[in-house]
Amino acid sequence: MYIEKARVDSIQTLVPNTYLLKVFSPLIASKIKPGQFCNIKVSETDYPLLRRPFSICEVDGNYLHFMFDVHGEGTRILSSKIIGDEIDILGPLGKGFTYDGVYKTAIIIAGGIGAAPFPYLVESLPKDKEVHCYIGGRSKNNIIDYGMKNISVSTDDGSLGYKGTIVELFKQEYEKFKKDSVSIFACGPNPILKALQEFTIAKNIDCQISTECAMACGFGICQGCPIDNADGDGYYLVCKDGPVFDARMVRL
Amino acid sequence: MSFVDQSIQIGSLYLKNPVLLASGTVGYGNEIAQFTDMSKLGGIVTKSLSLKPRKGNPPQRIVETPSGMLNAIGLANVGVEVFIKEKIPFLKELDTTIICNIAASSIDEYVECTKILNSVDIIQAFEINVSCPNVKEGGLIFGNDLNSVGRITEKVRAVTKKTLIIKLSPNVSRIADFAKVVKDEGGDAVSAINTLVGTAIDIWTRKPKIKNVTGGLSGPAIKPVALAKVLEIKRKVDIPIIGIGGIMNWKDAIEFMIAGASAIQIGTVNFINPNAGVEIVEGIETYCEKCSIGKLSDIVGSYQI
């Protein structure tokens, strides 16, 4: 784990309100794995006070990419960074995806900004794996297909692709993958993950979910980010034990 | 080689410098050790221990507020037995002073925990948490009752000769009265302050942002309150004070020492900059050199009022 002052190389708008930030961060870039995250201090002052956790979106040599929506003061400040600005990044943090198992097809399921960790995962999958990406959003303006392959789309309002949630769409199409072994990798709003978790546990399909929770430190000392274990008799920490969990391990 | 003597003596407790990592912000030391050289710190105060393990509160446990944060962790901890078996071996390897924080739901439990931990050699002092705002039993029920704080100090004192520090709550009208009770009952020092009770409400759902409804406010937002409490104790009671509350850098640390703190603890800043403690020790060094201060303890309570 490192704390690195990273220089902003570029920042672009992917879809309205969703940004892709590229920073020069060679130490973290050399170590970080798909599904892990970094905790970013967006200002040099005490406001906002805490770091903000962001999944690693892509690694390109010495550069890290982070994909984020603006939904509060921290992300607003981050979105206004310009080339040459320095940001303070702590990482790599947490446990990422396990993707080298015995399966034929990797199925990515992303809801909204839940697309963030997948470009790096898709890029890192062993070459013999097939990939199919299911991407959901509220409307066509929220569909983020950056870095994805073999895409199926759903929108809540039906403005693009299937009308409904991405998990509903996946459930309908699951039959076509059924004969082969699949491994599912998912990230998105809790109701989506919950519906997927129910389905994959019932069908006994391997599924890893990337969870999120408000946190302060990102490495286990604040104890601020508990998630119920499957039995409900204890907690894991999202930052240290996750953010990626086997869907069977946690209660959402 | 430095000529500044940063060492501090509190009761029988010797600290190589005044910078301690606060309880509940560094777990049992292992995670933060990846980011900072613990041997350069004055010491570490371990996460509050209770007799049995505690699961802690359900999420959401923390929320950020302007220049601060609210937390309601609920004293999640491994319990005394696992602590001794699994956490002490790591702490033993650290070349720094270990202070063990204890939180309990009854006076008997405080005594029992202290008794068990008293036999662990590397624990050099106890900090008794009578001021956690986030648990139903114990915590503030003790912390804002003079009689309870007195009895806890007395009973725990009776079972240990190690340095005994009582961590005081700011959620009282006269904190100096509590410091006086601690002194009268044989406590060696007080830590001031624990967090301030606070809350935050989501205006769209009208629900508290923290599941526990209220939490403890920490961070730079509380520094002026903490300083005033330290000053109040210093002016009224002759007992060593460990200053805590929103310390982010060496300037804040010096400010607390001038107000009367013999040592300081840093908490929330560890979440943001896990190397802050070492940076504060270095900053204090430079300050002392600049001001020709040979012995840091000379500035304790040196306010000009």
Side-chain angles (χ1 to χ4, degrees):
Chain A
M1 280 185 259
Y2 305 100
I3 297 175
E4 214 169 17
K5 300 273 184 212
R7 186 172 34 77
V8 173
D9 185 72
S10 68
I11 182 158
Q12 56 170 304
T13 310
L14 288 176
V15 298
N17 204 42
T18 301
Y19 295 82
L20 189 67
L21 173 73
K22 181 181 181 187
V23 299
F24 180 74
S25 185
L27 288 174
I28 297 174
S30 70
K31 290 273 189 278
I32 197 161
K33 301 276 182 264
Q36 287 190 297
F37 70 102
C38 293
N39 216 359
I40 299 180
K41 182 85 172 87
V42 299
S43 77
E44 285 174 9
T45 69
D46 293 339
Y47 186 78
L49 180 64
L50 301 176
R51 292 172 181 273
R52 299 286 188 276
F54 296 95
S55 286
I56 183 68
C57 176
E58 206 175 13
V59 176
D60 172 11
N62 290 322
Y63 293 88
L64 305 175
H65 291 73
F66 298 100
M67 185 195 287
F68 62 95
D69 274 353
V70 171
H71 64 240
E73 191 58 13
T75 43
R76 190 194 61 74
I77 293 171
L78 197 61
S79 72
S80 64
K81 295 291 175 191
I82 55 169
I83 295 167
D85 281 355
E86 270 197 346
I87 55 175
D88 180 317
I89 305 185
L90 194 161
L93 297 169
K95 292 199 173 74
F97 294 108
T98 307
Y99 49 88
D100 53 2
V102 182
Y103 62 94
K104 186 173 172 224
T105 306
I107 294 175
I108 309 287
I109 298 183
I113 193 64
F118 294 123
Y120 190 27
L121 177 66
V122 168
E123 175 69 29
S124 305
L125 287 169
K127 297 300 164 220
D128 62 328
K129 309 290 184 199
E130 287 175 19
V131 188
H132 199 107
C133 298
Y134 284 85
I135 309 171
R138 285 190 304 277
S139 143
K140 64 178 179 188
N141 285 335
N142 310 113
I143 297 299
I144 307 163
D145 60 4
Y146 180 83
M148 304 281 207
K149 283 180 188 166
N150 296 331
I151 299 165
S152 298
V153 170
S154 79
T155 51
D156 296 346
D157 64 2
S159 56
L160 191 68
Y162 173 81
K163 185 176 188 307
T165 75
I166 196 64
V167 174
E168 286 163 13
L169 174 60
F170 168 68
K171 279 156 85 169
Q172 287 181 16
E173 296 192 353
Y174 174 63
E175 287 299 317
K176 70 180 185 195
F177 301 105
K178 215 175 154 185
K179 58 182 192 307
D180 300 316
S181 56
V182 300
S183 197
I184 297 176
F185 306 90
C187 183
N190 232 29
I192 298 269
L193 296 184
K194 221 171 163 168
L196 182 66
Q197 183 189 38
E198 255 170 45
F199 180 73
T200 56
I201 289 177
K203 301 264 180 197
N204 199 24
I205 312 166
D206 282 336
C207 177
Q208 294 169 54
I209 51 176
S210 180
T211 59
E212 69 173 351
C213 185
M215 58 181 71
C217 67
F219 53 95
I221 58 172
C222 78
Q223 300 274 315
C225 58
I227 185 168
D228 275 308
N229 67 18
D231 296 331
D233 60 359
Y235 294 118
Y236 294 113
L237 291 181
V238 169
C239 72
K240 230 180 118 175
D241 304 311
V244 176
F245 292 97
D246 185 306
R248 300 175 189 95
M249 282 173 68
V250 291
R251 191 178 282 187
L252 293 169
Chain B
M1 186 62 205
S2 159
F3 295 101
V4 180
D5 176 7
Q6 287 203 32
S7 69
I8 297 288
Q9 192 79 36
I10 294 173
S12 60
L13 181 70
Y14 168 87
L15 302 174
K16 60 186 148 197
N17 65 59
V19 180
L20 305 169
L21 304 185
S23 179
T25 68
V26 286
Y28 309 103
N30 48 322
E31 292 98 349
I32 200 165
Q34 303 167 81
F35 294 101
T36 197
D37 182 353
M38 308 280 281
S39 71
K40 290 187 175 159
L41 298 170
I44 162 179
V45 190
T46 55
K47 172 80 182 159
S48 285
L49 284 169
S50 44
L51 204 50
K52 300 284 173 220
R54 290 181 76 122
K55 187 181 162 193
N57 291 331
Q60 185 159 350
R61 288 180 175 177
I62 58 168
V63 64
E64 185 168 346
T65 57
S67 298
M69 62 176 276
L70 290 164
N71 88 78
I73 308 300
L75 299 177
N77 81 93
V78 297
V80 167
E81 196 179 315
V82 174
F83 173 75
I84 292 175
K85 208 164 28 175
E86 293 176 15
K87 307 295 179 183
I88 285 288
F90 175 81
L91 290 166
K92 224 176 218 170
E93 299 304 312
L94 296 178
D95 176 22
T96 194
T97 301
I98 311 295
I99 300 171
C100 194
N101 183 297
I102 297 172
S105 331
S106 69
I107 294 179
D108 287 347
E109 189 186 347
Y110 280 113
V111 172
E112 193 57 31
C113 285
T114 311
K115 261 190 195 165
I116 297 169
L117 292 162
N118 196 45
S119 61
V120 179
D121 284 346
I122 62 151
I123 297 172
Q124 292 173 45
F126 292 106
E127 181 182 70
I128 305 298
N129 181 1
V130 293
S131 42
C132 176
N134 300 322
V135 290
K136 286 199 184 72
E137 296 166 328
L140 268 187
I141 295 172
F142 294 132
N144 52 28
D145 179 59
L146 268 178
N147 189 37
S148 296
V149 170
R151 281 182 59 211
I152 291 167
T153 309
E154 178 201 349
K155 302 274 188 198
V156 173
R157 175 78 290 169
V159 295
T160 184
K161 289 194 167 62
K162 294 183 181 183
T163 301
L164 178 59
I165 305 156
I166 308 293
K167 187 167 184 178
L168 299 180
S169 170
N171 303 294
V172 297
S173 41
R174 286 196 308 243
I175 198 169
D177 292 353
F178 289 81
K180 181 162 189 314
V181 164
V182 170
K183 182 182 164 68
D184 291 348
E185 297 299 339
D188 295 301
V190 292
S191 297
I193 56 176
N194 205 323
T195 53
L196 288 147
V197 174
T199 191
I201 296 169
D202 183 314
I203 60 165
W204 304 109
T205 62
R206 304 188 187 188
K207 288 183 174 168
K209 290 183 179 174
I210 282 197
K211 186 82 173 172
N212 190 52
V213 183
T214 58
L217 181 63
S218 67
I222 72 165
K223 198 189 85 175
V225 178
L227 267 174
K229 299 288 183 191
V230 167
L231 192 60
E232 180 191 333
I233 298 168
K234 186 66 186 172
R235 297 178 87 175
K236 293 190 173 152
V237 188
D238 181 21
I239 188 168
I241 305 161
I242 299 173
I244 322 169
I247 296 173
M248 297 295 284
N249 53 48
W250 65 268
K251 288 180 189 165
D252 296 338
I254 294 288
E255 201 177 354
F256 270 84
M257 295 188 80
I258 292 171
S262 298
I264 59 102
Q265 292 180 17
I266 55 170
T268 302
V269 70
N270 299 322
F271 303 153
I272 302 149
N273 175 10
N275 192 41
V278 170
E279 290 170 16
I280 289 172
V281 174
E282 290 165 358
I284 291 174
E285 179 93 22
T286 311
Y287 170 81
C288 288
E289 281 165 2
K290 250 184 212 164
C291 302
S292 305
I293 296 162
K295 187 156 177 47
L296 178 63
S297 56
D298 289 346
I299 72 163
V300 174
S302 63
Y303 51 81
Q304 306 289 314
I305 296 176

